[in-house]
Structure formats: C-alpha cells, structure tokens
Amino acid sequence: MGQARRQLEHWIRAIDFPTEILTGIPTVQIKGRDETVVVQHRGILSYSDDAVDVASSIGVVRIRGAGLKIRLMNRERVCLCGKVSRVELEESPV
Amino acid sequence: MMRYLRGYAQIMISGAEPERCLNMFAACDVAFWAPEKTDALHLRCRIYQKDLDAANRLASAAMCTVETELQRGLYSEYRGLLRRPLLLLGVAGAFAVTFFLQNFIWVITVSGNEQIPTEQILLTLEQEGVTFGAWGPSFEQESLKNRMLNRLPQLRWLALNRTGAIARVLTSEREGEKHTVDRAAVSNLIAKRPGVITRVSVLNGFAAVQPGDAVITGQLLVSGFMDWTTHTQATRALGEIYADTFYDITVKQPSCVQKKTYTREEFKVRTLIFGRKRIKLTGKSGILGTTCDTMIKTRSLTLPGGYLLPVALETVTLRPYTLTEEPVSQKTAEHVLQSAAKAAVARQLVAGSIKGESHTIQQNNGALVLRADIFCEEMIAVSIPADPLREEETNGESDQR
C-alpha cells in the first residue's frame, strides 16, 4: 500500500497536479501563532485546552499550546484557534 | 444573530471519548461551535436546534449521551405569541401604520381661505389627485401649486405641506377691489324718499331745509356749496336729516296651510361612510315618496388633536307623515303678516324706527291679504356728487332774481 501510494504521488507530481487532493495527504496550515488549520483529517483523537491530537492518513498531528479551541470542524478541515507553541507529526506505519 | 434567528441548543456530551462524538458530528454535517471540554468525560458545545435529533443519534453511535442544557432562538422564545393572534395583528398593524401607512394621505386640512369655500378647494384638490388615500410622496409641490392657482384664480398663493398622513393646505386669497370714498369730492345730501323733516344735524355744508319742511324724493337737503359772501366754498356735505316717512306695504299668504300628521312610524337607516364609499349597515333605504321628515346625524371618527378622518357613521331617521289642509285662523294670519310687513320696512331703514302702523286684512282668491300703512322716523339723507359748474349757474340765476 505504501509503495502504491508513493507511485501515485510520483505520477501526480509528474503532471504538476496538487498531490493532496487525490492522495488525501493532510495539510497543516499555521497562521501566526493564533490559528492552525488541518485539512484532510480523519477526526480528533483527543481535545483539551493545551493539547489537540488530530488523526490523519499519515499519522497523528499533535498540536500543543494554550487556550486551544475548535473554531470550525467539518469533514475536511479542523480549524483551531488559540496560542500554538508546538506542532508535531507522529507518523504511523502506512 | 443568525444562530439566534435559526435557534440553537447548548448540549453536554458525556462519554468515555466525547471527541468521537465531535468527529461524528463533523462527518455527518452536524454543525457545532464553541466546544468546551469541562473534564475528561464531558464536553459542552452548541448546535442548531434542528440538529438535536441527529445529534442524539450520532452520540448514541459514539457511545455517548447528549443532554440539552438550554435552548435559545427566536422561535423557541416567542412561540407563545402564536397563541395570541390579536397581539401579533396589533403589532403588525402598528408597524404598518408607523412605517408604511403614514405615507398615504388620510387627513386634509385647509386654512387661510375666507371667501372661497373649503369644499371648493377640497374638490379642486381631488381633481388634481390630492384626496383621501393618495400616495403622499408622489406630489410635486410646485407644479401642484401652479395647477391649483390656474384652477382657482381667486387664490393668490397656495402651499401643500405634508406631515405624515396629514396634508395641510395653506391658502391666501386675492384682495378684492376696495371701494374708497373720495373725501375731497364735492357732494350734496338729497332726500331718498319723501317725508316731513323732524331733525336736522349738519356737520359740513349748508342746510337747505329745517324741521317741519315737507320734502320730496331727490330734494336738496344739505348743499356742499357754502356762500361766504366774498367767496363760495365747495365741500363735501355731511349731516343727518331725519324725517317722518310713510310706507304702504301689501303682504299676503295662503288662507289654508298643509299640516303634517305623523304616522307614528320611524325608520332608521345606518350607513358607514368610508371616504366616498357608503356601506349600508342596517335599515331600509328604499322608502318611496317625499312625505317623510328626514333627520341625518353623522358621527365622524376624530383623532386626538381634532383631526377628522373620513370615516363616519351616518344615522338617518325617517318619520313619515300625511298632509292635511287646515284653514288658517285670521288672528294668527294677521299677526304673521303684520310682523312680516314691519320686518320688510325695517330692512329698508338706514337708521330710525317704526313709530306706528295701521292695517286692513281681507281674503281674496284663497289668500289672506294684509295692507299696512307704516309710519317711520328715519334718516333720509343720501350723498350724491355735486357738479360745481351747474351749482355756479344755479347760484347766478338766483342772484339775478
């Protein structure tokens, strides 16, 4: 499965197509220190004021900070607001 | 604001993993906001009221429970008003009156007119479109003023001011020709009717008569030319000349009168008048014949401030009667005819009074005829312009004699 994914990504890059749309690769956007958006997520694993764990296709995105709150959440994206101090990606074997 | 209008609920999600519930909400398009994790097992958030059932199902699927803490929204807070339709109607009516209906003209007042009747001005305004129920902002003041002045040339100026639903028409009329008296003109006083002079009071001029003189119509009483031996002064004759005069008056009336005999019946017709429309409420209006006494009483709707609305209740009371001929007593007729004769003479007196009268009454061809001789003492002098040349010739002839 991982090899198939890598091959797919290779072909998509060859035609200059955005890879995340077809492959479901998550995207983390950090806007300053107050807003973090995770696109292409697979749900929230844990949620608290200082730690939010978001599942994705390539692992768990761990966001640490203070006063974290979910401002928007739908099927595709989670938008968090609050002071973000650290963003980690814990890869899971694919 | 939009969330309040749509209605939302604050829920408490309880379970081992309340985050799973949020994931299911997101996956099933159940919008939520303001999530707040109170502890490891409880999470509070807000959703739309319409999604409550779906939230309960999804929470069950996520092995959580949902408890509704509060519900807010326009519908949930004010749905009790639906049980009070009249209140809603009144509020809607108040809004309509305040923001919409006041743009229509409901009351028209006219001021400033003295000679021209108000009804004529209102009728002309109606022909120009300014009438009850007309759309107020549609009137152009200047062109309306010009059209009205063309239609009513007696007006010098007109303005229409609209304050809400009240249209105030201010008018100014043209002044008529003023009759002025030329105080410097030479004039004489002559007798306007024959009589015997009783009092002479001359303020200016030369008196040509004295008390006791009998004068005829047109005779000179006071001359405006005064002879001062060395010169003659021409002036305007002024004075009051009283004389005993005599009037011969004939007055007649029918010897039989028709007397009403009421049938003791009474009909009432009530009509609601709304502008020019009449809506009959009760009563029979098709009463034929003219032998009815008609009494009309109208009660109009009046706003505070005395503004009359064109909404009125008209009550017409009809009392039928039959006519019977009755002869008039001579004594009554004599009294009526005598009063009428004296009133006719009194109208002709400029100043003075009736001193006595004698009369005869007789019946002639179905009529009672009164012939009265009325004696008066009245002021008989009337002023006429004098011709100076004619006066000089007259004076010359009298000097030669």
Side-chain angles (χ1 to χ4, degrees):
Chain A
M1 189 65 180
Q3 191 176 0
R5 179 187 290 277
R6 283 194 289 276
Q7 191 64 37
L8 177 62
E9 287 176 13
H10 174 73
W11 287 342
I12 289 172
R13 281 198 198 95
I15 60 173
D16 285 335
F17 201 82
T19 56
E20 59 271 16
I21 293 176
L22 289 181
T23 60
I25 295 174
T27 305
V28 179
Q29 299 174 354
I30 303 174
K31 299 179 185 177
R33 290 189 62 188
D34 298 328
E35 190 174 318
T36 305
V37 180
V38 180
V39 185
Q40 306 267 32
H41 69 93
R42 287 187 178 178
I44 292 179
L45 298 175
S46 68
Y47 169 59
S48 65
D49 260 0
D50 52 3
V52 176
D53 295 343
V54 181
S56 69
S57 59
I58 59 171
V60 176
V61 179
R62 298 187 192 278
I63 300 160
R64 299 289 178 266
L68 297 176
K69 292 203 182 298
I70 299 173
R71 196 172 73 177
L72 170 72
M73 181 174 177
N74 54 25
R75 285 185 198 179
E76 293 182 355
R77 63 176 60 207
V78 173
C79 181
L80 299 170
C81 59
K83 282 204 182 299
V84 174
S85 60
R86 198 164 73 242
V87 177
E88 298 172 351
L89 175 63
E90 183 180 310
E91 284 189 67
S92 60
V94 186
Chain B
M1 170 73 80
M2 285 307 298
R3 287 170 180 162
Y4 179 81
L5 291 175
R6 291 175 66 176
Y8 63 89
Q10 181 168 299
I11 59 174
M12 177 67 82
I13 302 170
S14 305
E17 295 184 44
E19 293 86 356
R20 285 187 62 189
C21 203
L22 290 185
N23 293 335
M24 298 198 75
F25 285 173
C28 297
D29 293 330
V30 174
F32 67 92
W33 63 92
E36 180 189 348
K37 197 164 184 185
T38 55
D39 54 47
L41 302 177
H42 297 89
L43 188 145
R44 179 183 291 121
C45 68
R46 292 183 178 183
I47 61 174
Y48 287 117
Q49 282 181 352
K50 68 177 180 63
D51 295 329
L52 268 175
D53 292 337
N56 277 308
R57 284 198 311 275
L58 294 172
S60 300
M63 289 188 285
C64 297
T65 57
V66 169
E67 182 188 338
T68 305
E69 291 185 333
L70 66 87
Q71 293 193 46
R72 290 198 67 187
L74 189 67
Y75 175 73
S76 60
E77 292 192 0
Y78 295 104
R79 65 184 171 191
L81 287 177
L82 293 177
R83 292 195 293 270
R84 294 176 174 82
L86 286 180
L87 176 62
L88 288 176
L89 206 64
V91 170
F95 269 101
V97 168
T98 303
F99 297 108
F100 180 68
L101 292 181
Q102 66 167 340
N103 288 319
F104 293 92
I105 292 178
W106 303 118
V107 177
I108 303 175
T109 62
V110 179
S111 62
N113 55 316
E114 293 176 359
Q115 304 294 327
I116 306 174
T118 301
E119 288 75 18
Q120 185 179 357
I121 297 176
L122 289 174
L123 184 63
T124 312
L125 283 169
E126 189 176 335
Q127 292 168 353
E128 290 296 330
V130 181
T131 181
F132 172 78
W135 179 248
S138 67
F139 298 118
E140 193 181 331
Q141 308 258 359
E142 197 62 29
S143 66
L144 175 68
K145 180 192 83 173
N146 293 332
R147 293 196 305 272
M148 285 294 293
L149 292 180
N150 278 336
R151 283 176 176 269
L152 294 173
Q154 309 96 309
L155 288 180
R156 182 176 62 180
W157 175 82
L158 181 138
L160 175 71
N161 297 323
R162 191 176 67 87
T163 310
I166 301 173
R168 297 180 210 274
V169 180
L170 306 173
T171 62
S172 176
E173 295 172 341
R174 291 183 192 277
E175 293 178 357
E177 287 184 11
K178 291 184 180 176
H179 179 68
T180 56
V181 175
D182 187 1
R183 295 183 182 275
V186 179
S187 64
N188 294 329
L189 292 180
I190 62 170
K192 71 171 184 179
R193 62 182 301 110
V196 177
I197 304 295
T198 57
R199 284 183 282 160
V200 175
S201 172
V202 177
L203 298 174
N204 203 19
F206 176 73
V209 294
Q210 57 187 0
D213 290 348
V215 296
I216 61 172
T217 305
Q219 183 169 338
L220 181 69
L221 300 175
V222 178
S223 173
F225 296 90
M226 292 187 289
D227 186 7
W228 296 105
T229 308
T230 56
H231 66 279
T232 302
Q233 180 185 1
T235 183
R236 182 165 170 258
L238 287 173
E240 288 187 352
I241 312 295
Y242 281 82
D244 286 335
T245 57
F246 168 81
Y247 287 84
D248 182 5
I249 293 267
T250 301
V251 192
K252 54 173 90 169
Q253 77 160 51
S255 57
C256 291
V257 292
Q258 291 191 320
K259 188 178 173 184
K260 292 179 184 177
T261 305
Y262 292 98
T263 60
R264 295 193 182 181
E265 284 180 302
E266 193 173 276
F267 302 96
K268 286 200 177 185
V269 181
R270 290 187 178 85
T271 307
L272 179 67
I273 301 171
F274 192 78
R276 287 188 170 267
K277 296 210 182 293
R278 298 176 64 90
I279 304 168
K280 191 178 76 174
L281 298 176
T282 60
K284 188 172 63 172
S285 58
I287 298 173
L288 300 177
T290 57
T291 56
C292 274
D293 271 348
T294 305
M295 287 154 283
I296 302 174
K297 190 174 175 183
T298 306
R299 295 177 69 176
S300 296
L301 191 62
T302 307
L303 293 175
Y307 296 109
L308 276 179
L309 285 179
V311 179
L313 178 66
E314 181 188 83
T315 304
V316 178
T317 305
L318 300 164
R319 295 177 64 195
Y321 58 82
T322 55
L323 293 172
T324 51
E325 273 201 6
E326 277 190 6
V328 180
S329 75
Q330 185 141 342
K331 195 172 179 183
T332 308
E334 187 176 339
H335 179 72
V336 170
L337 291 169
Q338 192 179 356
S339 301
K342 284 185 178 176
V345 168
R347 280 194 293 271
Q348 297 185 48
L349 300 181
V350 173
S353 60
I354 296 173
K355 292 175 73 175
E357 64 93 29
S358 64
H359 63 268
T360 58
I361 186 166
Q362 57 187 359
Q363 195 151 1
N364 186 11
N365 291 335
L368 289 170
V369 182
L370 180 137
R371 199 166 167 193
D373 298 325
I374 299 177
F375 307 93
C376 307
E377 185 188 18
E378 63 172 312
M379 212 284 286
I380 62 169
V382 65
S383 177
I384 60 163
D387 186 355
L389 289 177
R390 190 182 171 84
E391 287 295 325
E392 281 182 7
E393 288 173 3
T394 306
N395 286 339
E397 288 173 5
S398 65
D399 287 342
Q400 285 174 7
R401 288 198 203 105

